[in-house]
Amino acid sequence: MKRIAVLTSGGDAPGMNAAVRAVVRKGIYEGLDVVGIHRGYEGLLNEELRPLLRRDVGGIVNRGGTLLKTARCPEFMDKVYQKKAAEVLKKYDIDALVVIGGDGSMAGAQALAELGVVTMTIPGTIDNDMCGTEYTIGFDTALNTVVEAVSKIRDTTTAHDRVAIVEVMGRHAGHIAVGSGLACGAEIVLIPEKPVPLEDVCRHLDETHRAGKTNSIIIVAEGAYHSYDVCNFIKEHMHISPSVTVLGYLQRGGMPSAKDAMMAALMSEAAIDGLLAGKRNCLTASVNDHVVLLPYEEAKSITYPVSDAWYDLISVLGR
């Protein structure tokens, strides 16, 4: 193995830059040439490749976003484009491709692997909902961002005796909502995995406010309810006028936490060491606080759902 390439794909996540930096510098340390692919699989199809040296990735370890840019590429699901991508990698003498991204990014890497391309995937998504790994790069930073925002919103809800609804990311998984809800002391958390009728939300608010609670935080994962629907329902059924804050892309940005920067380095090291040891087509997964290499098919068979214990504890502590 002489030359590898690296790309970031899908939604950006804090820590992606730290992973790119680690892949480049670890690869060069081991005697490899490293090529950066801009704009994910779209850039691969458009041949947006350039060599990366140590100094090219200087100063990015604590920077959010991704130096390599990213993009979603729906057409990459088509075998025709997958074959074209494999041909591009062959044209530039790429011996292995390191992909940094979520489930969709890993699916692209697996598709290339089936065409004979050697790949490794480093999990990078704030949602922490990727198969095969207990932890994805960017999740801890997103949690801290939400907790910081909610702590400021809580000041106003306390001062004015209000209910605040905070919408967080999580279209299909409620990891951010549950983790941040537990950390910031939210009274109610709504997630797609555990549907709750809005009548029950009103009942919970009525019970706790009758017991002396003067303000509440409701965290809503975007896949559970639209936050304004929750707000309007409460207005219609209670003598409460809640506020709504949609955190949106705020959760994806900013300097990665120490944990995310460290995990990016450790997972990147595992990817390069695995390639040099002859490992092929694996996810660098976090399992029981250890970084391991899991073949794609094995990784796809393992899921880590939201913790029931964490979810139940939020309700216990929020009364």
Side-chain angles (χ1 to χ4, degrees):
M1 186 162 294
K2 296 179 180 179
R3 176 177 292 177
I4 66 171
V6 58
L7 63 79
T8 51
S9 173
D12 59 304
M16 279 187 165
N17 270 330
V20 171
R21 171 183 178 270
V23 168
V24 171
R25 292 191 172 178
K26 172 66 175 176
I28 292 173
Y29 176 82
E30 298 293 350
L32 301 173
D33 292 331
V34 184
V35 174
I37 300 173
H38 285 249
R39 304 184 197 284
Y41 291 117
E42 178 184 297
L44 174 57
L45 292 171
N46 293 330
E47 300 187 34
E48 296 182 44
L49 291 78
R50 71 176 179 89
L52 291 175
L53 303 175
R54 285 189 179 91
R55 299 287 76 80
D56 294 324
V57 293
I60 68 170
V61 64
N62 295 129
R63 192 185 305 166
T66 164
L67 172 77
L68 295 178
K69 308 290 186 181
T70 185
R72 300 189 187 278
C73 187
E75 60 265 40
F76 203 75
M77 298 175 66
D78 190 319
K79 285 285 185 183
V80 172
Y81 291 100
Q82 294 166 9
K83 290 178 181 178
K84 179 181 177 181
E87 291 168 0
V88 170
L89 291 168
K90 184 177 180 181
K91 173 181 176 180
Y92 286 88
D93 297 321
I94 304 298
D95 298 312
L97 173 65
V98 178
V99 173
I100 304 167
D103 276 325
S105 302
M106 187 175 80
Q110 185 174 13
L112 289 174
E114 292 170 357
L115 294 172
V117 177
V118 175
T119 67
M120 283 285 181
T121 299
I122 297 171
T125 169
I126 66 168
D127 291 321
N128 204 43
D129 62 346
M130 197 165 168
C131 62
T133 182
E134 293 176 314
Y135 189 82
T136 61
I137 297 166
F139 177 59
D140 186 64
T141 307
L143 282 185
N144 287 321
T145 297
V146 174
V147 170
E148 181 181 1
V150 171
S151 71
K152 295 177 180 180
I153 293 168
R154 172 88 69 179
D155 290 343
T156 295
T157 64
T158 302
H160 293 272
D161 293 341
R162 291 179 179 170
V163 172
I165 298 167
V166 182
E167 183 179 304
V168 302
M169 287 185 169
R171 189 171 292 113
H172 304 294
H175 293 279
I176 292 176
V178 171
S180 62
L182 188 59
C184 73
E187 280 70 27
I188 300 172
V189 172
L190 303 175
I191 59 175
E193 298 94 323
K194 295 181 179 293
V196 174
L198 292 181
E199 291 85 355
D200 290 355
V201 172
C202 292
R203 189 177 301 112
H204 184 286
L205 289 173
D206 183 61
E207 290 174 358
T208 56
H209 284 228
R210 284 179 182 274
K213 185 176 283 291
T214 61
N215 59 87
S216 297
I217 297 289
I218 302 174
I219 293 184
V220 183
E222 61 184 335
Y225 283 104
H226 192 293
S227 53
Y228 284 96
D229 291 340
V230 178
C231 179
N232 292 334
F233 190 92
I234 293 173
K235 285 181 179 180
E236 291 171 6
H237 294 82
M238 300 185 73
H239 297 294
I240 293 175
S241 183
S243 64
V244 173
T245 303
V246 180
L247 296 184
Y249 290 115
L250 179 71
Q251 298 159 84
R252 281 194 187 167
M255 181 178 75
S257 66
K259 179 173 182 177
D260 280 329
M262 290 168 62
M263 290 302 295
L266 294 172
M267 288 178 165
S268 299
E269 177 190 43
I272 299 300
D273 285 345
L275 288 172
L276 294 174
K279 300 284 186 179
R280 300 290 184 267
N281 311 323
C282 293
L283 172 71
T284 61
S286 175
V287 179
N288 296 325
D289 292 325
H290 290 84
V291 178
V292 299
L293 297 179
L294 294 181
Y296 293 140
E297 283 302 321
E298 182 180 348
K300 287 167 62 177
S301 69
I302 303 169
T303 58
Y304 294 98
V306 165
S307 169
D308 289 336
W310 288 20
Y311 182 79
D312 293 341
L313 184 56
I314 290 170
S315 181
V316 171
L317 301 181
R319 292 185 177 274

